[in-house]
Amino acid sequence: MTRPNIDIARVEANLTALAEISEHPAPAVTRVLFSDADLQARSWMQARCEEAGLELRTDEAGNLFARWHGTDPSLPPIATGSHIDAIPNAGKYDGTVGVIGGLEAIRSLRKSGHIPRRSIELVVFTAEEPTRFGVGCLGSRLLSGVMSSSHAQTLKDDDGLGLNHWRSRAGLRGDLESVKLNPGFYSAFIELHIEQGPLLEAQRIDIGIVEKIAAPAAFRAILTGSGGHAGAVLMPGRKDALLAGAEIALAVEQAALTSGSPDIVGTTGVFEVKPGAINSIPCAAKLEIDLRDTTTPTRKLAEHHILTKSSEICKRRGIELDWETINSDEPAICDPALVERVSAAANTCGLSSMKMISRAYHDSLFMARITPVTMIFIPCHLGYSHRPDEYSSPEAIANGIAVLAETLRGLSE
Ligand code: GLV
Ligand code: MN
Ligand code: MN
């Protein structure tokens, strides 16, 4: 058995071209859902899939599907893919390696003369990142039925604009109900992604094979206090929303540190204050809190502590607290047979591999509700991700694509 041949020069050129479509200058990459950059990146990606001779379909959420037809249309296809949207000031590899790499895996199989019995479909998911509406994996949540179309219609951005407003910019005006796919629509989903953590590089392992994806939850706290003149209002009478928010952020850290679960992580990644003037007491604050663990009960316990503590802080400070759960998800267990397939594919490619947990979430978390999944991780430098200096070497990327291609080859025969 030989390792699939990967045109890594083409992959690198595509990653660079895609990274140039950004709201922020290089090396930063920013592509917020349905922004001009996101729309441009979508058409760029469609052109690459057309060039490769794949059949394209876009659903009403903007998920893109590019299919290489197999010889037996009665068989459910195998899917691979990831996302091309990017949080503000991200790097060029998160998501894109799975999309451009997925396309390259298909091209490499085709060039090798492989004739798939099962169709192979590349999926480019809408809004894996929680950029515009604060909720991640919007496309795969809708596709798997984890989010209903009526819930999706209630989402609003910071300016009060909803999903219909934004998706119409991409020419999408149809019924979101049609996005949901039935379980069994795909025979399997395999996502290639950078690790976003330091383990593979540190242990000099070529390939990570994901057995479990940690369960994320996200919360929004809107704090309303009372503003006023920073010089004239004396300290005892204040209702400073920022100070309550600061205590809440510390309570998040504390809940994660003391929960007893080794895998729990808590982050307050958004903290906005109004009016945002040096000589004005902050009258309002918005916090967005990300909490993750590999088991739901331990995460829910920490969640309970954070909410109890936040209510206590706000009561003590005379602040009104409006608490919203943005999402509260279950972990995904990957399919053991697929994990073994990928492990065998890594062996065939002459690469070392290890099984691991994904602490980041991915569209695979939701695809797991409708089909067997696993993920192929490749090392990224120092585990950097969600920052402009994110980096995976051409060798690491080629290794990941080769293992993906080999896995798709086996599964499509
Ligand atoms: C996905 O980008 C995540 O935040 O895990
Ligand atoms: Mn990401
Ligand atoms: Mn990603």
Side-chain angles (χ1 to χ4, degrees):
M1 269 249 178
T2 52
R3 170 188 163 125
N5 240 328
I6 304 303
D7 184 347
I8 192 62
R10 176 166 59 195
V11 171
E12 286 285 307
N14 278 338
L15 285 170
T16 301
L18 184 50
E20 278 162 10
I21 308 173
S22 166
E23 292 156 55
H24 290 124
V29 177
T30 303
R31 283 189 293 268
V32 170
L33 172 65
F34 296 138
S35 61
D36 289 347
D38 183 43
L39 295 182
Q40 205 187 323
R42 284 163 182 270
S43 2
W44 181 91
M45 197 58 225
Q46 288 187 10
R48 298 294 75 72
C49 292
E50 268 162 9
E51 221 170 69
L54 305 182
E55 186 184 282
L56 288 182
R57 172 175 87 86
T58 304
D59 71 13
E60 290 301 331
N63 294 310
L64 173 70
F65 306 85
R67 185 171 292 200
W68 179 18
H69 284 282
T71 53
D72 187 348
S74 71
L75 297 174
I78 298 157
T80 186
S82 196
H83 62 100
I84 58 171
D85 66 321
I87 61 164
N89 285 304
K92 74 188 233 196
Y93 302 92
D94 176 2
T96 53
V97 161
V99 171
I100 289 172
L103 181 61
E104 194 58 40
I106 292 174
R107 295 186 88 157
S108 133
L109 287 175
R110 181 175 263 167
K111 193 155 178 225
S112 74
H114 175 66
I115 300 184
R117 216 150 62 82
R118 258 176 221 284
S119 300
I120 302 179
E121 186 142 282
L122 177 72
V123 188
V124 186
F125 295 95
T126 282
E128 191 271 348
E129 302 290 6
T131 47
R132 192 173 293 286
F133 297 111
V135 61
C137 299
L138 187 54
S140 51
R141 279 178 195 274
L142 284 163
L143 209 138
S144 60
V146 169
M147 183 186 280
S148 65
S149 60
S150 53
H151 182 170
Q153 299 293 1
T154 65
L155 298 173
K156 295 269 182 280
D157 69 6
D158 284 343
D159 299 317
L161 298 169
L163 181 56
N164 281 350
H165 167 86
W166 285 106
R167 74 189 176 108
S168 71
R169 293 195 84 219
L172 304 167
R173 295 186 181 82
D175 190 358
L176 277 176
E177 201 62 52
S178 62
V179 172
K180 187 172 173 326
L181 297 179
N182 289 326
F185 182 89
Y186 290 120
S187 57
F189 178 72
I190 298 152
E191 181 170 1
L192 170 64
H193 207 282
I194 59 168
E195 182 199 343
Q196 303 182 288
L199 302 180
L200 291 172
E201 184 186 60
Q203 296 177 39
R204 297 175 193 276
I205 304 265
D206 302 313
I207 297 291
I209 311 170
V210 175
E211 290 186 300
K212 187 172 192 182
I213 307 174
F219 311 96
R220 185 177 291 125
I222 305 287
L223 311 181
T224 311
S226 175
H229 197 287
V233 181
L234 288 175
M235 298 309 283
R238 292 193 179 194
K239 292 179 178 172
D240 185 323
L242 179 145
L243 294 178
E247 280 201 59
I248 292 174
L250 290 172
V252 170
E253 183 194 37
Q254 202 54 25
L257 286 172
T258 57
S259 90
S261 166
D263 289 328
I264 197 161
V265 283
T267 309
T268 303
V270 172
F271 193 166
E272 292 166 6
V273 289
K274 284 184 185 159
I278 190 172
N279 56 355
S280 184
I281 300 162
C283 62
K286 178 175 91 169
L287 278 74
E288 285 180 1
I289 297 158
D290 180 302
L291 191 66
R292 309 184 191 205
D293 204 347
T294 47
T295 53
T296 327
T298 45
R299 195 199 64 211
K300 286 217 184 280
L301 199 61
E303 201 175 307
H304 175 73
H305 285 316
I306 293 168
L307 182 54
T308 310
K309 193 83 186 134
S310 300
S311 307
E312 189 189 302
I313 293 162
C314 288
K315 192 158 175 233
R316 172 165 40 82
R317 289 183 169 274
I319 302 282
E320 195 183 306
L321 170 66
D322 180 11
W323 185 268
E324 183 194 344
T325 299
I326 301 172
N327 61 279
S328 174
D329 299 304
E330 296 294 323
I333 308 293
C334 296
D335 183 71
L338 275 185
V339 167
E340 289 317 314
R341 282 263 183 183
V342 175
S343 170
N347 269 337
T348 302
C349 295
L351 298 169
S352 56
S353 67
M354 72 177 198
K355 295 174 184 158
M356 59 196 304
I357 292 173
S358 172
R359 294 169 191 284
Y361 61 70
H362 302 280
D363 293 302
S364 292
L365 182 69
F366 299 99
M367 291 303 280
R369 310 296 175 93
I370 56 166
T371 189
V373 303
T374 189
M375 298 187 69
I376 299 170
F377 275 0
I378 55 164
C380 60
H381 187 52
L382 295 173
Y384 290 170
S385 187
H386 284 185
R387 43 190 279 181
D389 51 0
E390 180 179 271
Y391 177 74
S392 273
S393 69
E395 298 73 36
I397 296 171
N399 287 344
I401 301 174
V403 173
L404 175 64
E406 180 57 22
T407 309
L408 294 175
R409 191 189 60 71
L411 290 169
S412 62
E413 287 178 333

